Amino acid sequence: MPDSANPTRRLLLGGLAVALAAPAVARAQATWPERPIRWIVNFPPGGAADILSRILAEWFGTKLGQPIVVENRPGAGGMVGSDLLAKARGDQHMVMISNAASHGIGPVLYANVPYDPVADFTHIHLVGTFPSVLAVGPGVAAPDLAAFLALARAKPGEMTYGSGGNGTMNHLIGQLLARAAGVELTHVPYRGSAPAMTDVMGGQIPALMESLPTALPNLRAGRMRPIATSEAERSPALPDVPTFAEAGFPAVASTNWFGFSAAAGIPAAVKARWEEEMAKAMASPEIAERFGRIGVRPGTLGAEAYTAMIRSELDRWREVIRVGNIKVD
C-alpha cells in the first residue's frame, strides 16, 4: 500500500522526522555563543550608553559562557556604530545598545542615514529610561531655570549649551526648550559627554544638556548645578530638581531610552535566548540596584513592544523636527 494511503505510516514517518530534527536544533542552541560577543557602543567612553553597556556586559559575561568585548565606535550621533551592526546581517556574535539618537532621532534628522532603524536590526529589549538634565557651571548666576532663561533673553545668542553631539536627544531637548521659552540658545556639539562636562566645569561654556547617568557624579560632587530635568516627573536621583514641565514648558518633556539590539537575520533561537536573558537581567535586583545608582529605570519591554516603541519614537521626532524646522548645526 502506498504511503499516501496509509495515514498511520505517514504520522510515524512525520514524527520520526521531527524527532531527528529536534536534536539538531537543540545542538544549535546549545553551541551558541561559540566565540566572544562583540558589543558595540556607538558613543565614546564615559557616556550613558557606555556605562549601561559595561554593567550589562559584565552581567552577561557570567551567564553566557563567553566574554563580552565592549567596543566604542562613536560618531555622527551614534550612527557610525549603528551602521556597523546594520552591515553585519546574520552575525550572531555582534550586538549593540540602540538608543534615541541612533534609532529615534538621527534617522529622521539627517538626510542620508545609511541604515533602516527597524528593518536592519533585530530589536530585542528596552534596557532603561532616564531624563536629561540641564546643568550650569559653578560660575553661572542662575539658581533656577527662570534665571537661566532671563540671562539668555538679556544676551540673545550668547547663551550656549553643550551636548555630546549633533542629533542626540540632549541636543534636541535644548532646541525644544529654546522654542518653548522664546529664547535663543546656541548649541555647542562635542565629541562625547566627557569633554562637554569638562568645559562646563571649567567655565568655557555656561551650560549643558546631559543624560542623567553621565552627569550625576559631577552633580553630586557640586562641580555642576542641575536646574531642570526633562521627564514628566522628577527623578528619584534628583528629587529637589524640578522638571521643565513644572516650570511651565510641558512641550519639552522627553525621556531618554536605551535598548538592546542584534543584527538583522539572526536565528530565531538566538533572538529568543537574548530576549529571555535580557528579561532576567532587567528583573534582577542586582541590575535594578546598579541602574538605580545612576538614575536609570530598567526597561520592561520585550522584542515586539520595544520595536513598536522605536517606530513610535521615529514618528514623534519626525514631527518635532518638521514643526520646529530643526536643523543640525
PDB file of all heavy atoms in Angstrom, residues 224-247:
ATOM      1  N   MET A 224      28.905  70.778  38.960  1.00  0.00           N
ATOM      2  CA  MET A 224      27.897  71.401  38.095  1.00  0.00           C
ATOM      3  C   MET A 224      26.621  71.498  38.924  1.00  0.00           C
ATOM      4  O   MET A 224      26.461  70.786  39.923  1.00  0.00           O
ATOM      5  CB  MET A 224      27.628  70.547  36.843  1.00  0.00           C
ATOM      6  CG  MET A 224      28.844  70.271  35.983  1.00  0.00           C
ATOM      7  SD  MET A 224      28.404  69.416  34.424  1.00  0.00           S
ATOM      8  CE  MET A 224      27.614  67.921  35.028  1.00  0.00           C
ATOM      9  N   ARG A 225      25.714  72.376  38.515  1.00  0.00           N
ATOM     10  CA  ARG A 225      24.471  72.557  39.268  1.00  0.00           C
ATOM     11  C   ARG A 225      23.263  72.240  38.383  1.00  0.00           C
ATOM     12  O   ARG A 225      23.076  72.887  37.342  1.00  0.00           O
ATOM     13  CB  ARG A 225      24.390  73.990  39.804  1.00  0.00           C
ATOM     14  CG  ARG A 225      23.198  74.228  40.735  1.00  0.00           C
ATOM     15  CD  ARG A 225      23.281  75.583  41.408  1.00  0.00           C
ATOM     16  NE  ARG A 225      23.147  76.685  40.473  1.00  0.00           N
ATOM     17  CZ  ARG A 225      24.158  77.427  40.036  1.00  0.00           C
ATOM     18  NH1 ARG A 225      25.387  77.174  40.460  1.00  0.00           N
ATOM     19  NH2 ARG A 225      23.959  78.421  39.191  1.00  0.00           N
ATOM     20  N   PRO A 226      22.430  71.277  38.761  1.00  0.00           N
ATOM     21  CA  PRO A 226      21.260  70.958  37.949  1.00  0.00           C
ATOM     22  C   PRO A 226      20.145  71.969  38.176  1.00  0.00           C
ATOM     23  O   PRO A 226      19.883  72.377  39.309  1.00  0.00           O
ATOM     24  CB  PRO A 226      20.852  69.581  38.466  1.00  0.00           C
ATOM     25  CG  PRO A 226      21.270  69.582  39.904  1.00  0.00           C
ATOM     26  CD  PRO A 226      22.537  70.413  39.961  1.00  0.00           C
ATOM     27  N   ILE A 227      19.476  72.383  37.091  1.00  0.00           N
ATOM     28  CA  ILE A 227      18.384  73.342  37.268  1.00  0.00           C
ATOM     29  C   ILE A 227      17.050  72.836  36.705  1.00  0.00           C
ATOM     30  O   ILE A 227      16.004  73.401  37.033  1.00  0.00           O
ATOM     31  CB  ILE A 227      18.720  74.730  36.671  1.00  0.00           C
ATOM     32  CG1 ILE A 227      19.067  74.629  35.184  1.00  0.00           C
ATOM     33  CG2 ILE A 227      19.867  75.363  37.438  1.00  0.00           C
ATOM     34  CD1 ILE A 227      19.316  75.990  34.542  1.00  0.00           C
ATOM     35  N   ALA A 228      17.072  71.765  35.896  1.00  0.00           N
ATOM     36  CA  ALA A 228      15.807  71.198  35.410  1.00  0.00           C
ATOM     37  C   ALA A 228      16.071  69.845  34.780  1.00  0.00           C
ATOM     38  O   ALA A 228      17.168  69.591  34.247  1.00  0.00           O
ATOM     39  CB  ALA A 228      15.135  72.123  34.406  1.00  0.00           C
ATOM     40  N   THR A 229      15.061  68.976  34.835  1.00  0.00           N
ATOM     41  CA  THR A 229      15.152  67.665  34.192  1.00  0.00           C
ATOM     42  C   THR A 229      14.017  67.520  33.179  1.00  0.00           C
ATOM     43  O   THR A 229      13.026  68.240  33.214  1.00  0.00           O
ATOM     44  CB  THR A 229      15.079  66.522  35.220  1.00  0.00           C
ATOM     45  OG1 THR A 229      13.856  66.644  35.969  1.00  0.00           O
ATOM     46  CG2 THR A 229      16.262  66.573  36.174  1.00  0.00           C
ATOM     47  N   SER A 230      14.170  66.534  32.287  1.00  0.00           N
ATOM     48  CA  SER A 230      13.320  66.509  31.100  1.00  0.00           C
ATOM     49  C   SER A 230      12.086  65.615  31.174  1.00  0.00           C
ATOM     50  O   SER A 230      11.203  65.743  30.324  1.00  0.00           O
ATOM     51  CB  SER A 230      14.153  66.074  29.880  1.00  0.00           C
ATOM     52  OG  SER A 230      14.503  64.694  29.973  1.00  0.00           O
ATOM     53  N   GLU A 231      12.010  64.709  32.133  1.00  0.00           N
ATOM     54  CA  GLU A 231      10.850  63.819  32.152  1.00  0.00           C
ATOM     55  C   GLU A 231       9.639  64.517  32.787  1.00  0.00           C
ATOM     56  O   GLU A 231       9.761  65.565  33.407  1.00  0.00           O
ATOM     57  CB  GLU A 231      11.188  62.517  32.888  1.00  0.00           C
ATOM     58  CG  GLU A 231      12.152  61.652  32.108  1.00  0.00           C
ATOM     59  CD  GLU A 231      12.350  60.289  32.722  1.00  0.00           C
ATOM     60  OE1 GLU A 231      12.542  60.202  33.953  1.00  0.00           O
ATOM     61  OE2 GLU A 231      12.322  59.295  31.979  1.00  0.00           O
ATOM     62  N   ALA A 232       8.476  63.889  32.642  1.00  0.00           N
ATOM     63  CA  ALA A 232       7.245  64.486  33.163  1.00  0.00           C
ATOM     64  C   ALA A 232       7.250  64.560  34.684  1.00  0.00           C
ATOM     65  O   ALA A 232       6.653  65.465  35.274  1.00  0.00           O
ATOM     66  CB  ALA A 232       6.037  63.701  32.678  1.00  0.00           C
ATOM     67  N   GLU A 233       7.930  63.612  35.323  1.00  0.00           N
ATOM     68  CA  GLU A 233       8.019  63.585  36.781  1.00  0.00           C
ATOM     69  C   GLU A 233       9.471  63.737  37.225  1.00  0.00           C
ATOM     70  O   GLU A 233      10.391  63.414  36.477  1.00  0.00           O
ATOM     71  CB  GLU A 233       7.438  62.270  37.330  1.00  0.00           C
ATOM     72  CG  GLU A 233       5.964  62.080  37.009  1.00  0.00           C
ATOM     73  CD  GLU A 233       5.433  60.771  37.567  1.00  0.00           C
ATOM     74  OE1 GLU A 233       6.231  59.988  38.116  1.00  0.00           O
ATOM     75  OE2 GLU A 233       4.219  60.539  37.451  1.00  0.00           O
ATOM     76  N   ARG A 234       9.657  64.211  38.436  1.00  0.00           N
ATOM     77  CA  ARG A 234      11.005  64.373  38.963  1.00  0.00           C
ATOM     78  C   ARG A 234      11.728  63.033  39.075  1.00  0.00           C
ATOM     79  O   ARG A 234      11.123  62.003  39.334  1.00  0.00           O
ATOM     80  CB  ARG A 234      10.974  65.050  40.335  1.00  0.00           C
ATOM     81  CG  ARG A 234      10.466  66.478  40.294  1.00  0.00           C
ATOM     82  CD  ARG A 234      10.711  67.201  41.610  1.00  0.00           C
ATOM     83  NE  ARG A 234      10.142  68.550  41.602  1.00  0.00           N
ATOM     84  CZ  ARG A 234      10.444  69.497  42.461  1.00  0.00           C
ATOM     85  NH1 ARG A 234      11.307  69.245  43.448  1.00  0.00           N
ATOM     86  NH2 ARG A 234       9.872  70.684  42.375  1.00  0.00           N
ATOM     87  N   SER A 235      13.024  63.085  38.896  1.00  0.00           N
ATOM     88  CA  SER A 235      13.833  61.878  39.022  1.00  0.00           C
ATOM     89  C   SER A 235      14.103  61.579  40.494  1.00  0.00           C
ATOM     90  O   SER A 235      14.457  62.484  41.261  1.00  0.00           O
ATOM     91  CB  SER A 235      15.171  62.055  38.301  1.00  0.00           C
ATOM     92  OG  SER A 235      16.069  61.016  38.627  1.00  0.00           O
ATOM     93  N   PRO A 236      13.955  60.312  40.919  1.00  0.00           N
ATOM     94  CA  PRO A 236      14.306  59.952  42.299  1.00  0.00           C
ATOM     95  C   PRO A 236      15.760  60.269  42.635  1.00  0.00           C
ATOM     96  O   PRO A 236      16.090  60.482  43.796  1.00  0.00           O
ATOM     97  CB  PRO A 236      14.037  58.449  42.345  1.00  0.00           C
ATOM     98  CG  PRO A 236      13.033  58.204  41.268  1.00  0.00           C
ATOM     99  CD  PRO A 236      13.376  59.179  40.186  1.00  0.00           C
ATOM    100  N   ALA A 237      16.620  60.306  41.610  1.00  0.00           N
ATOM    101  CA  ALA A 237      18.025  60.616  41.855  1.00  0.00           C
ATOM    102  C   ALA A 237      18.249  62.100  42.112  1.00  0.00           C
ATOM    103  O   ALA A 237      19.256  62.485  42.722  1.00  0.00           O
ATOM    104  CB  ALA A 237      18.879  60.159  40.665  1.00  0.00           C
ATOM    105  N   LEU A 238      17.317  62.958  41.647  1.00  0.00           N
ATOM    106  CA  LEU A 238      17.404  64.403  41.866  1.00  0.00           C
ATOM    107  C   LEU A 238      16.035  64.916  42.318  1.00  0.00           C
ATOM    108  O   LEU A 238      15.381  65.697  41.621  1.00  0.00           O
ATOM    109  CB  LEU A 238      17.836  65.119  40.576  1.00  0.00           C
ATOM    110  CG  LEU A 238      19.236  64.839  40.030  1.00  0.00           C
ATOM    111  CD1 LEU A 238      19.423  65.527  38.678  1.00  0.00           C
ATOM    112  CD2 LEU A 238      20.315  65.300  41.012  1.00  0.00           C
ATOM    113  N   PRO A 239      15.607  64.497  43.491  1.00  0.00           N
ATOM    114  CA  PRO A 239      14.234  64.815  43.905  1.00  0.00           C
ATOM    115  C   PRO A 239      13.961  66.301  44.121  1.00  0.00           C
ATOM    116  O   PRO A 239      12.804  66.729  44.098  1.00  0.00           O
ATOM    117  CB  PRO A 239      14.082  64.034  45.211  1.00  0.00           C
ATOM    118  CG  PRO A 239      15.477  63.863  45.728  1.00  0.00           C
ATOM    119  CD  PRO A 239      16.334  63.707  44.504  1.00  0.00           C
ATOM    120  N   ASP A 240      15.001  67.094  44.319  1.00  0.00           N
ATOM    121  CA  ASP A 240      14.813  68.524  44.570  1.00  0.00           C
ATOM    122  C   ASP A 240      14.891  69.370  43.297  1.00  0.00           C
ATOM    123  O   ASP A 240      14.746  70.596  43.364  1.00  0.00           O
ATOM    124  CB  ASP A 240      15.864  69.028  45.569  1.00  0.00           C
ATOM    125  CG  ASP A 240      15.743  68.352  46.928  1.00  0.00           C
ATOM    126  OD1 ASP A 240      14.596  68.030  47.315  1.00  0.00           O
ATOM    127  OD2 ASP A 240      16.772  68.140  47.582  1.00  0.00           O
ATOM    128  N   VAL A 241      15.122  68.717  42.169  1.00  0.00           N
ATOM    129  CA  VAL A 241      15.268  69.453  40.908  1.00  0.00           C
ATOM    130  C   VAL A 241      13.963  69.375  40.126  1.00  0.00           C
ATOM    131  O   VAL A 241      13.498  68.279  39.796  1.00  0.00           O
ATOM    132  CB  VAL A 241      16.429  68.884  40.069  1.00  0.00           C
ATOM    133  CG1 VAL A 241      16.553  69.647  38.750  1.00  0.00           C
ATOM    134  CG2 VAL A 241      17.737  68.958  40.863  1.00  0.00           C
ATOM    135  N   PRO A 242      13.344  70.516  39.820  1.00  0.00           N
ATOM    136  CA  PRO A 242      12.065  70.496  39.095  1.00  0.00           C
ATOM    137  C   PRO A 242      12.238  70.082  37.639  1.00  0.00           C
ATOM    138  O   PRO A 242      13.341  70.107  37.080  1.00  0.00           O
ATOM    139  CB  PRO A 242      11.589  71.947  39.195  1.00  0.00           C
ATOM    140  CG  PRO A 242      12.826  72.746  39.364  1.00  0.00           C
ATOM    141  CD  PRO A 242      13.782  71.887  40.148  1.00  0.00           C
ATOM    142  N   THR A 243      11.126  69.709  37.039  1.00  0.00           N
ATOM    143  CA  THR A 243      11.122  69.343  35.622  1.00  0.00           C
ATOM    144  C   THR A 243      10.823  70.570  34.769  1.00  0.00           C
ATOM    145  O   THR A 243      10.322  71.589  35.266  1.00  0.00           O
ATOM    146  CB  THR A 243      10.060  68.277  35.343  1.00  0.00           C
ATOM    147  OG1 THR A 243       8.763  68.865  35.539  1.00  0.00           O
ATOM    148  CG2 THR A 243      10.217  67.077  36.274  1.00  0.00           C
ATOM    149  N   PHE A 244      11.104  70.462  33.475  1.00  0.00           N
ATOM    150  CA  PHE A 244      10.723  71.535  32.550  1.00  0.00           C
ATOM    151  C   PHE A 244       9.211  71.735  32.571  1.00  0.00           C
ATOM    152  O   PHE A 244       8.729  72.865  32.483  1.00  0.00           O
ATOM    153  CB  PHE A 244      11.190  71.205  31.134  1.00  0.00           C
ATOM    154  CG  PHE A 244      12.681  71.217  30.961  1.00  0.00           C
ATOM    155  CD1 PHE A 244      13.369  70.072  30.608  1.00  0.00           C
ATOM    156  CD2 PHE A 244      13.400  72.391  31.145  1.00  0.00           C
ATOM    157  CE1 PHE A 244      14.740  70.082  30.443  1.00  0.00           C
ATOM    158  CE2 PHE A 244      14.782  72.416  30.984  1.00  0.00           C
ATOM    159  CZ  PHE A 244      15.452  71.252  30.633  1.00  0.00           C
ATOM    160  N   ALA A 245       8.479  70.637  32.679  1.00  0.00           N
ATOM    161  CA  ALA A 245       7.016  70.733  32.701  1.00  0.00           C
ATOM    162  C   ALA A 245       6.545  71.531  33.914  1.00  0.00           C
ATOM    163  O   ALA A 245       5.639  72.364  33.809  1.00  0.00           O
ATOM    164  CB  ALA A 245       6.402  69.341  32.704  1.00  0.00           C
ATOM    165  N   GLU A 246       7.156  71.282  35.071  1.00  0.00           N
ATOM    166  CA  GLU A 246       6.802  72.043  36.274  1.00  0.00           C
ATOM    167  C   GLU A 246       7.077  73.526  36.099  1.00  0.00           C
ATOM    168  O   GLU A 246       6.367  74.376  36.648  1.00  0.00           O
ATOM    169  CB  GLU A 246       7.596  71.530  37.475  1.00  0.00           C
ATOM    170  CG  GLU A 246       7.158  70.210  38.034  1.00  0.00           C
ATOM    171  CD  GLU A 246       8.010  69.829  39.225  1.00  0.00           C
ATOM    172  OE1 GLU A 246       7.689  70.287  40.343  1.00  0.00           O
ATOM    173  OE2 GLU A 246       8.997  69.092  39.055  1.00  0.00           O
ATOM    174  N   ALA A 247       8.107  73.833  35.321  1.00  0.00           N
ATOM    175  CA  ALA A 247       8.493  75.229  35.107  1.00  0.00           C
ATOM    176  C   ALA A 247       7.646  75.902  34.027  1.00  0.00           C
ATOM    177  O   ALA A 247       7.886  77.065  33.696  1.00  0.00           O
ATOM    178  CB  ALA A 247       9.967  75.306  34.737  1.00  0.00           C
TER     179      ALA A 247
END
